[in-house]
Amino acid sequence: MPRPLLPLSLLLCLSAPLPAVTLSAVPTAENAHYRITVSALRGARVPGLVDRRPGKEIVYRDAKGFGGLFDDRMNFIDAPYRMAVDMGNFEAEAVPLEIYGLKETPPVTLSVAGSAAAACRVLVEDDFRLLPGDTLSVPQGQTRRFWLKIRSDRLAPGDYPLEVRLAAREKPLLTIPLALKVWNVRLPSSRFLNKYYAFLTHFGLPDSPENRRRIAAYLENLAELRSATCDWALSTAEMARHARVAATSEPLPKAAEAGRIRPDALPRLDLSFFDPWVAESARLGMTRFEINANSGNGPNEAEAIRLATGQAMDPQSEAGWKIVLWLYAELRRYALAKGMKSAWAKVDDEIPPEHIPAWNSGAARFRSIGYRAYTTDTGTIPRNADWLNAKNKTSDAWQVAIGATRDFLTITRRPVSYIERREKVAIPWASYASGDAVETWATLRPFFSGDKPTQSVDKIEIYANGRKMRFKGGSGWGNRERGAAMEYAGHLYISLPDGGDPNNASIEAAYRLRRTGPKGKPPVRLDPEDEVWYYGGGNYRASYADSRRYPWLACAFGMDGYGYWTYLWWNRQDILVWYDELSGKIINSSAWEGLRDGNEDAAYFLELVLRQKGKKNDALRRLLFLEPRSPLRLKEKRSEIFAWDDIEGDFETFNRAKRAILKELATDARRGKGEAGKATATPFAEKRLTFAPSPGRGCWDQAVGANARFAPTA
């Protein structure tokens, strides 16, 4: 009988080839040459390995060499394991195999044998880049990785036993069985919602063959990543510079300079210059169009107005706003005509609470021309019902920082009660000058802690000698404003109206503590059509496992999607991939592979959720995320002011969760409840999922409402 699945990766220590010896002369870890991490493991004995007592050495023996199997802490384990990979039809999977050099050794070569070997491509990781190759040099004290890139598009459903063979100088070191199973379930064509910040035009607009070639390569790569969004990251002025008057094909700046553009009769625009970017994105399935806009206009918008009208205007005036909104209305019309399904405006970024009125005003302007508006929320806004409600009528989506997800989901999905307090701040104050702050003071220890933890504080007001201070978001870093108060990580910051010492004043804090309970209503009721996302990010240095968890976490939270900073940025560091100028092709990182595999997992997950209802979804959620032995069990994480629930895993745990979903989908297909082998007809964005609170216990009780129920809505 196969042993239970273990979420533990194994480390394999191998010696170089040795002459034949008796079992009593078996080599140990001290004279091994390689340590190999295999994270795609499943319980089953590997022929040729023997358990010896009392040392518990797991010995691999043949005419060529020996080795021992160890766990993550270099402890001997009781049995070896085989690699396991589960896939649906028409998808890809990246499987890691890591080698650590215990001694100076010859290069290691990896090959795959078996009936599906042609579906496996061997890659080597070099400076985070995954490159074609089958041989690695492994210096002593350093780690190198092989990757198996497996594609199932030419494989019929079934089981494919494979062998992963490691050799040095053409002499075998070890053969690891790999059980590949292709389920009779086709990868859904619809994509789980996501946004990768992809500033494709930082390295050139589509005005030359080489630039168009580069943009096309990035777009193909984003499509393979299963990106859902075309991220319009171009200034308003640059858009105006390349627009044409539709009726005459005359460049807009030229027509404006000649006085042929009248603000009271603005023409239709031709933006086909951007077809290699926008139209191609739509053709490749990235049909969610998003602009990055501002709630207030500045020099860039002033330049756009000058280019579009030939006139100088105050960009913040109503006349100036009219021109800016006309340009973006024309951009929306163009994008929809090219195949985009929706148009969104991300207005500003991570705004402080005091900016909410200005944000509402700016977002309302973009909504008036047909965009749906949102911004990224972090810090104190996602945990404060008053601030969320202040944005609620204007915001069409909520993209919440990962650290704030617990607070946000609690007050938007669960019954909440409040305890209001006002007390004197008895903690000593010390002068605070970080960021060149002036006349600013901070409490020597956190004021919010113990029975009033900072993550449960919903609202704060600070009074100095009975006078209410203006409360600002964030810490006191760089503060130059008198009569202001702040809070961060439980510490209070203040600058008195006279710039004096708060130790000589009476300082009081009024605050509101949030408590969840079994009765009542959530204090923030989001509109049913609002989307809820979370966001985080990384770059090519992020691990495969950390990246693959991003889509899974959105599934665990019952969210519509996730945002990821960033895919491509001007500094060439905040990137996921590299463009090879010579070949015109993209080189992926392991972080990219993790995100792609996670997006495929999420597509299967959402397909299953949409087929099931009620208790079945609760059971699925418990199986994957909430039980003690769940493969992707949610666990609490903390950082500064934030406490949230997160997933930890490796390839094996993600594959185990994926296997459970594929098995259920295949079972549904056999029962006639689904159509295996056929793609989902309706895009996921049109199959909305919401959570409704219900009683129960579990990790989500304290986090996001563990027993919320999936409910498809129209």
Side-chain angles (χ1 to χ4, degrees):
M1 176 181 292
R3 301 190 126 225
L5 303 186
L6 296 180
L8 185 68
S9 62
L10 302 182
L11 303 179
L12 176 59
C13 291
L14 301 174
S15 74
L18 298 173
V21 293
T22 63
L23 283 178
S24 60
V26 168
T28 63
E30 285 71 24
N31 60 15
H33 283 207
Y34 307 114
R35 188 173 73 213
I36 300 177
T37 301
V38 184
S39 57
L41 295 159
R42 187 178 185 184
R45 290 186 176 277
V46 177
L49 289 146
V50 182
D51 183 5
R52 292 187 68 251
R53 307 285 174 163
K56 295 185 180 179
E57 295 95 339
I58 306 301
V59 180
Y60 176 84
R61 183 178 186 223
D62 65 12
K64 303 297 182 182
F66 303 86
L69 238 60
F70 304 87
D71 67 17
D72 303 66
R73 298 179 181 177
M74 293 307 296
N75 297 317
F76 289 105
I77 62 172
D78 292 331
Y81 296 83
R82 63 185 171 91
M83 302 171 70
V85 179
D86 291 75
M87 304 178 70
N89 301 130
F90 298 94
E91 64 154 303
E93 199 83 355
V95 186
L97 193 146
E98 184 175 284
I99 299 182
Y100 178 82
L102 297 174
K103 295 183 179 180
E104 292 296 334
T105 58
V108 179
T109 299
L110 185 146
S111 62
V112 181
S115 60
C120 305
R121 185 186 183 198
V122 181
L123 304 173
V124 296
E125 185 171 342
D126 182 12
D127 193 23
F128 301 99
R129 294 164 169 83
L130 303 193
L131 304 171
D134 61 3
T135 302
L136 282 174
S137 295
V138 189
Q140 182 178 5
Q142 296 186 33
T143 298
R144 296 291 185 268
R145 290 188 193 90
F146 284 111
W147 290 85
L148 289 182
K149 190 73 170 285
I150 307 175
R151 293 190 177 276
S152 63
D153 50 330
R154 296 186 179 181
L155 297 177
D159 296 305
Y160 296 88
L162 298 170
E163 290 184 348
V164 177
R165 298 173 177 176
L166 294 162
R169 290 177 179 160
E170 299 183 354
K171 296 181 178 180
L173 288 176
L174 181 69
T175 296
I176 306 172
L178 187 156
L180 171 63
K181 184 176 182 65
V182 179
W183 294 81
N184 190 25
V185 178
R186 183 166 181 164
L187 177 67
S189 59
S190 298
R191 300 173 187 178
F192 190 75
L193 290 180
N194 52 55
K195 174 182 179 177
Y196 301 100
Y197 289 85
F199 299 89
L200 303 186
T201 53
H202 275 316
F203 305 109
L205 291 168
D207 54 3
S208 71
E210 177 52 36
N211 286 349
R212 288 192 289 272
R213 180 188 187 209
R214 182 189 299 108
I215 290 172
Y218 280 125
L219 290 178
E220 290 280 357
N221 184 261
L222 281 164
E224 187 180 357
L225 182 59
R226 296 180 68 84
S227 173
T229 302
C230 175
D231 184 32
W232 177 267
L234 194 68
S235 71
T236 318
E238 202 67 29
M239 174 174 58
R241 184 172 286 112
H242 295 280
R244 290 178 176 271
V245 178
T248 63
S249 296
E250 184 179 19
L252 177 62
K254 182 178 179 180
E257 188 178 2
R260 287 190 284 272
I261 304 299
R262 292 169 42 202
D264 61 341
L266 296 168
R268 283 287 178 90
L269 297 180
D270 175 3
L271 294 169
S272 58
F273 172 83
F274 300 106
D275 278 3
W277 179 10
V278 176
E280 185 66 4
S281 291
R283 186 187 71 81
L284 292 170
M286 291 169 278
T287 56
R288 179 189 178 93
F289 185 71
E290 286 201 13
I291 64 172
N292 295 276
N294 300 311
S295 59
N297 293 328
N300 178 270
E301 287 76 21
E303 175 65 5
I305 293 168
R306 186 192 66 78
L307 289 169
T309 66
Q311 303 177 31
M313 296 184 192
D314 176 3
Q316 278 290 84
S317 67
E318 288 303 313
W321 264 110
K322 179 181 179 181
I323 303 303
V324 170
L325 293 178
W326 161 61
L327 290 170
Y328 278 107
E330 287 297 297
L331 177 62
R332 176 182 177 274
R333 184 185 60 80
Y334 158 74
L336 295 178
K338 293 299 178 179
M340 294 295 166
K341 301 292 181 60
S342 62
W344 292 79
K346 177 180 176 288
V347 182
D348 299 336
D349 183 70
E350 296 185 339
I351 64 174
E354 58 268 23
H355 188 68
I356 289 176
W359 183 86
N360 279 335
S361 176
R365 292 182 185 273
F366 285 95
R367 294 180 86 220
S368 73
I369 57 172
Y371 288 91
R372 300 184 70 189
Y374 79 98
T375 191
T376 44
D377 287 308
T378 188
T380 53
I381 287 181
R383 66 174 50 166
N384 186 292
D386 293 343
W387 290 332
L388 291 177
N389 280 323
K391 291 177 57 189
N392 202 1
K393 290 184 179 180
T394 311
S395 187
D396 296 298
W398 307 84
Q399 198 170 119
V400 182
I402 186 172
T405 49
R406 173 185 287 186
D407 297 310
F408 177 83
L409 295 175
T410 295
I411 61 177
T412 58
R413 294 178 178 173
R414 306 201 60 205
V416 169
S417 60
Y418 294 99
I419 301 172
E420 295 193 4
R421 296 177 181 174
R422 180 166 174 163
E423 60 186 80
K424 185 175 181 180
V425 179
I427 301 173
W429 297 81
S431 180
Y432 179 86
S434 294
D436 295 326
V438 175
E439 299 174 339
T440 302
W441 299 71
T443 53
L444 284 174
R445 62 178 184 274
F447 176 78
F448 292 111
S449 62
D451 67 342
K452 50 179 188 288
T454 183
Q455 61 266 25
S456 297
V457 176
D458 187 85
K459 185 178 181 179
I460 304 171
E461 294 178 345
I462 304 298
Y463 296 84
N465 298 322
R467 179 178 174 181
K468 183 178 178 180
M469 301 290 98
R470 190 174 89 84
F471 195 81
K472 299 167 57 179
S475 72
W477 195 93
N479 178 63
R480 295 173 177 271
E481 179 184 349
R482 287 185 174 184
M486 297 130 279
E487 181 270 339
Y488 189 80
H491 288 268
L492 298 180
Y493 301 81
I494 196 169
S495 179
L496 296 180
D498 62 359
D501 184 348
N503 291 296
N504 300 324
S506 175
I507 310 297
E508 293 179 291
Y511 57 91
R512 189 169 66 182
L513 283 176
R514 184 181 65 243
R515 295 284 188 268
T516 57
K519 297 181 180 180
K521 296 181 179 180
V524 179
R525 303 288 288 182
L526 303 182
D527 295 335
E529 63 272 15
D530 281 3
E531 291 184 358
V532 179
W533 296 32
Y534 84 93
Y535 73 95
N539 58 21
Y540 63 88
R541 293 178 176 271
S543 72
Y544 171 90
D546 183 67
S547 302
R548 189 167 179 176
R549 88 185 211 286
Y550 265 83
W552 275 108
L553 195 56
C555 293
F557 289 160
M559 290 183 168
D560 294 293
Y562 70 94
Y564 191 91
W565 176 275
T566 183
Y567 172 86
L568 186 68
W569 188 229
W570 63 270
N571 61 11
R572 300 181 186 272
Q573 292 298 313
D574 294 315
I575 59 176
L576 280 175
V577 297
W578 299 265
Y579 177 71
D580 181 38
E581 299 282 350
L582 293 178
S583 68
K585 296 181 179 179
I586 299 294
I587 301 171
N588 295 334
S589 64
S590 62
W592 183 97
E593 298 284 353
L595 287 165
R596 192 276 321 283
D597 288 350
N599 286 333
E600 292 178 344
D601 299 342
Y604 289 125
F605 176 90
L606 189 51
E607 177 73 5
L608 182 57
V609 166
L610 292 169
R611 290 185 187 180
Q612 297 181 339
K613 296 180 180 179
K615 292 183 179 180
K616 272 203 166 186
N617 283 328
D618 291 338
L620 173 65
R621 192 166 55 255
R622 287 194 300 271
L623 170 70
L624 295 177
F625 307 116
L626 302 177
E627 300 292 346
R629 297 186 65 182
S630 293
L632 301 178
R633 188 184 180 193
L634 287 169
K635 298 179 181 179
E636 182 179 84
K637 286 190 177 181
R638 288 178 175 266
S639 176
E640 297 180 334
I641 66 173
F642 299 112
W644 72 98
D645 294 283
D646 212 330
I647 288 171
E648 293 180 358
D650 57 17
F651 184 95
E652 190 276 333
T653 54
F654 289 118
N655 189 71
R656 190 147 46 99
K658 178 182 179 181
R659 181 188 305 129
I661 294 171
L662 290 172
K663 181 178 180 180
E664 191 68 23
L665 285 170
T667 301
D668 275 358
R670 288 195 298 271
R671 293 172 179 170
K673 296 182 179 180
E675 294 184 87
K678 291 189 178 181
T680 306
T682 307
F684 291 157
E686 299 174 17
K687 295 180 174 180
R688 295 298 318 291
L689 295 176
T690 59
F691 272 112
S694 61
R697 298 179 181 178
C699 176
W700 284 5
D701 255 355
Q702 299 176 358
V704 299
N707 295 280
R709 186 175 294 116
F710 281 110
T713 61

